[in-house]
C-alpha cells in the first residue's frame, strides 16, 4: 500500500491530530462506572478520533473558564464551546470507566479534577439566552451538577449509524490527499439539501479542489428530518448532480447544541481537523427559533484575529431561483424582486411533501422530493 502524504492539507487545530484510542486497560471492569449521555458519548468518540483536536479529554476548569469567557483555550488556541462531562459526585478513585447507555464500558478516564459550574452563566455565555425553551439550554439545565475533567482512552468505539459513510479525520485527510485535493470546503448540514444549498456548495466548490458534504448525524431535535431519510436524500442528490471525483459524503458524528454563532466556530474548527481548509457558513448557522440574529454566526468570525482559526469561512446569503435571471441567485447577485423568486416556506414544503406533491424543480430536485415523499408516507 502506498502512503499518500497529507502534508499539503491544512494542519489539524493545534498542529497534531489527536488519537485517544487505545487498548482496554486491565482492571477496567472493576473501576467505578459512569454512564454517559448520548451527547457526551458523541463528544467522547470525537475526542478519540481527533475530530476535537487538540482536546485529549473532557475539559478542566481552566479550559472551561477560558472557553466560555473568551472563546480560547489556555494555550491561546481558539475554541468556542465547552466539551465537558457532567457527574453527580466526585469519583473515589483516580480512574473511572466511562460506559455507554447500555452500561458497557467503552473508555477509561484519568481523573484530573471535579469542579462546580454555573448553568445559567454557561447558558448566557454560550447560548446567549437562559430561556429553557432553547433545546441546548434545556439540555444544559438537565445535566448533573459537577464537571469531571481528565484525559480519556477509548477502547471501544461507538458503532456508527452509517458505517459506509463513517470516516475519522485521519481517513478523510487520506482520501483528500489521494485525490490530490489541497483546498477543501466543508459543508455542515442537518437538513435535506434543496436547490438553495446545492447552489452554495457548488459556488464554493468552483473555487476549491473538493467538497466535503458533512451531515451531522448525532442527536438533533425530534422535529428535524430523521437522519436515515437525510442520508438517502444526500446520496440521491450527489449521484445525480455532483461529479463523483470532486465530492465526498461523510458523516459528522456530533450532536447538535443549537448554540448558533459559537457552534459555527466549533463546527469550522472540527472540519479543519477533518482536513477542510474552507467552511461554508450560511445564515443562522446552527440556530434555532429566533435566538440569534440572521448574520450572528458570520459576524462572530470577526472576533478572531485574521488567520487565527486558519480554516477560512465562506459566508453565504439566502439563495433562491430567480425566474428573470433564469438561475439560482441571491440578493447579492440578483437585482429582481421577491415576485420573481421561487420561495416556499418550510411549512409549505412539508405540506406538499406529506400530500405527495413534488415541489417545483426550481426549489428541489424531483429525486430528492421523491425520497422525502416516500418517507412521509411510511
Ligand atoms: Zn434575478
Amino acid at each position: 500500500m502506498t502512503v499518500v502524504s497529507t502534508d499539503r492539507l491544512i494542519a489539524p487545530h493545534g498542529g497534531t491530530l489527536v488519537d485517544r484510542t487505545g487498548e482496554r486497560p486491565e482492571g477496567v471492569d472493576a473501576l467505578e462506572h459512569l454512564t454517559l449521555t448520548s451527547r457526551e458519548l458523541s463528544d467522547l468518540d470525537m475526542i478519540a478520533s481527533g475530530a476535537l483536536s487538540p482536546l485529549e479529554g473532557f475539559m478542566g476548569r481552566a479550559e472551561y473558564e477560558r472557553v466560555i469567557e473568551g472563546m480560547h483555550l489556555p494555550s491561546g488556541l481558539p475554541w468556542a464551546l465547552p466539551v465537558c462531562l457532567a457527574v453527580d459526585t466526585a469519583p473515589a478513585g483516580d480512574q473511572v470507566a466511562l460506559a455507554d447507555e447500555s452500561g458497557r464500558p467503552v473508555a477509561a478516564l484519568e481523573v484530573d479534577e471535579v469542579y462546580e459550574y454555573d448553568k445559567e452563566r454557561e447558558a448566557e455565555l454560550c447560548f446567549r439566552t437562559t430561556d429553557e425553551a432553547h433545546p441546548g439550554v434545556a439540555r444544559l439545565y438537565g445535566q448533573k451538577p459537577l464537571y469531571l475533567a481528565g484525559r480519556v482512552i477509548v477502547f471501544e468505539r461507538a458503532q456508527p449509524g452509517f458505517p459506509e459513510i463513517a470516516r475519522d479525520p485521519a481517513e478523510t485527510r487520506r482520501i483528500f490527499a489521494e485525490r490530490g485535493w489541497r483546498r477543501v470546503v466543508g459543508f455542515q448540514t442537518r437538513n435535506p439539501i434543496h436547490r438553495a444549498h446545492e447552489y452554495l456548495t457548488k459556488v464554493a466548490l468552483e473555487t476549491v479542489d473538493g467538497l466535503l458534504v458533512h451531515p451531522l448525524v448525532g442527536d438533533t431535535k425530534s422535529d428535524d428530518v430523521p437522519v436515515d431519510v437525510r442520508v438517502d436524500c444526500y446520496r440521491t442528490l450527489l449521484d445525480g448532480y455532483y461529479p463523483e471525483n470532486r465530492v465526498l459524503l461523510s458523516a459528522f458524528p456530533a450532536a447538535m447544541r443549537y448554540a448558533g454563532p459559537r457552534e459555527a466556530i466549533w463546527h469550522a474548527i472540527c472540519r479543519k481537523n477533518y482536513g477542510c481548509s474552507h467552511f461554508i457558513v450560511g445564515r443562522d448557522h446552527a440556530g434555532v427559533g429566533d435566538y440569534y440574529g440572521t448574520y450572528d454566526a458570520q459576524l462572530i468570525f470577526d472576533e478572531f484575529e485574521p488567520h487565527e482559526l486558519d480554516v477560512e469561512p465562506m459566508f453565504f446569503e439566502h439563495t433562491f431561483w430567480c425566474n428573470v435571471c433564469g438561475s439560482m441567485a441571491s440578493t447579492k447577485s440578483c437585482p429582481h424582486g421577491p415576485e420573481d423568486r421561487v420561495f416556499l416556506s418550510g411549512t409549505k414544503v412539508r405540506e406538499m411533501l406529506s400530500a405527495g406533491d413534488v415541489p417545483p424543480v426550481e426549489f428541489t430536485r424531483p429525486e430528492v422530493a421523491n425520497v422525502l415523499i416516500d418517507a412521509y408516507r411510511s
Side-chain angles (χ1 to χ4, degrees):
M1 185 182 119
T2 39
V3 177
V4 180
S5 167
T6 58
D7 291 355
R8 283 165 53 87
L9 294 171
I10 192 170
H13 201 49
T16 311
L17 198 60
V18 167
D19 178 3
R20 299 304 294 172
T21 61
E23 294 291 306
R24 185 186 188 92
E26 272 189 48
V28 78
D29 290 327
L31 296 172
E32 180 180 343
H33 282 34
L34 300 175
T35 299
L36 273 53
T37 64
S38 64
R39 203 265 308 159
E40 290 163 347
L41 284 165
S42 87
D43 286 353
L44 176 70
D45 200 62
M46 289 174 66
I47 294 168
S49 74
L52 299 185
S53 300
L55 302 190
E56 298 188 336
F58 289 99
M59 286 180 173
R61 188 199 294 268
E63 290 173 295
Y64 173 78
E65 286 294 329
R66 276 297 307 275
V67 166
I68 67 167
E69 285 287 347
M71 290 200 292
H72 284 78
L73 293 166
S75 66
L77 272 181
W79 196 270
L81 287 171
V83 176
C84 294
L85 175 57
V87 296
D88 277 320
T89 52
D94 54 9
Q95 222 186 19
V96 290
L98 305 181
D100 67 13
E101 288 157 309
S102 71
R104 194 174 52 125
V106 296
L109 178 143
E110 299 163 34
V111 176
D112 188 28
E113 62 178 322
V114 178
Y115 56 100
E116 291 179 347
Y117 66 104
D118 180 336
K119 292 178 180 179
E120 287 207 357
R121 176 167 165 255
E122 183 179 325
E124 185 58 51
L125 290 169
C126 297
F127 295 102
R128 302 187 178 184
T129 175
T130 53
D131 182 1
E132 288 176 58
H134 183 293
V137 174
R139 197 259 309 142
L140 171 62
Y141 286 0
Q143 278 183 181
K144 293 169 180 172
L146 302 170
Y147 280 148
L148 169 62
R151 302 207 308 167
V152 294
I153 288 288
V154 176
F155 49 82
E156 184 91 39
R157 294 289 303 278
Q159 290 298 316
F162 299 89
E164 7 23 290
I165 57 165
R167 292 181 191 89
D168 285 343
E171 194 182 352
T172 54
R173 287 176 165 273
R174 182 181 56 73
I175 293 170
F176 297 165
E178 281 172 359
R179 293 183 178 186
W181 298 354
R182 183 172 191 178
R183 291 152 57 85
V184 183
V185 62
F187 179 60
Q188 146 75 30
T189 176
R190 58 184 160 100
N191 289 303
I193 300 178
H194 298 304
R195 295 293 298 274
H197 286 144
E198 176 187 336
Y199 174 68
L200 57 88
T201 58
K202 287 182 170 175
V203 169
L205 178 55
E206 292 291 355
T207 73
V208 295
D209 305 319
L211 165 68
L212 175 66
V213 174
H214 215 202
L216 181 140
V217 299
D219 290 355
T220 57
K221 293 185 282 100
S222 54
D223 57 344
D224 284 348
V225 175
V227 62
D228 53 332
V229 177
R230 287 194 284 123
V231 170
D232 267 359
C233 289
Y234 304 139
R235 286 207 172 104
T236 304
L237 181 68
L238 296 186
D239 283 351
Y241 297 94
Y242 288 71
E244 197 182 357
N245 61 348
R246 288 287 175 196
V247 60
L248 180 69
L249 172 65
S250 195
F252 181 54
M256 272 311 292
R257 285 157 158 85
Y258 300 99
R262 280 193 183 229
E263 196 158 7
I265 299 290
W266 194 74
H267 278 164
I269 291 172
C270 293
R271 272 38 178 256
K272 176 182 171 185
N273 286 327
Y274 282 91
C276 295
S277 55
H278 293 69
F279 182 65
I280 292 171
V281 184
R283 301 197 339 170
D284 200 25
H285 184 105
V288 61
D290 52 6
Y291 291 100
Y292 309 108
T294 303
Y295 299 103
D296 285 359
Q298 300 182 348
L299 293 170
I300 195 173
F301 282 83
D302 292 339
E303 294 180 33
F304 294 87
E305 296 297 320
H307 311 298
E308 197 184 0
L309 292 162
D310 206 10
V311 55
E312 191 68 38
M314 298 176 94
F315 300 134
F316 284 91
E317 261 293 347
H318 177 59
T319 64
F320 46 78
W321 177 273
C322 170
N323 287 322
V324 181
C325 290
S327 65
M328 295 298 297
S330 79
T331 49
K332 284 168 94 174
S333 55
C334 156
H336 306 112
E339 67 283 2
D340 296 316
R341 297 171 191 158
V342 176
F343 173 79
L344 295 175
S345 70
T347 313
K348 176 72 185 162
V349 174
R350 279 189 293 274
E351 273 173 21
M352 291 186 78
L353 294 169
S354 50
D357 297 334
V358 177
V361 67
E362 293 86 358
F363 179 82
T364 193
R365 299 291 185 185
E367 298 91 333
V368 173
N370 286 326
V371 171
L372 291 166
I373 288 170
D374 285 349
Y376 272 102
R377 281 187 179 151
S378 56

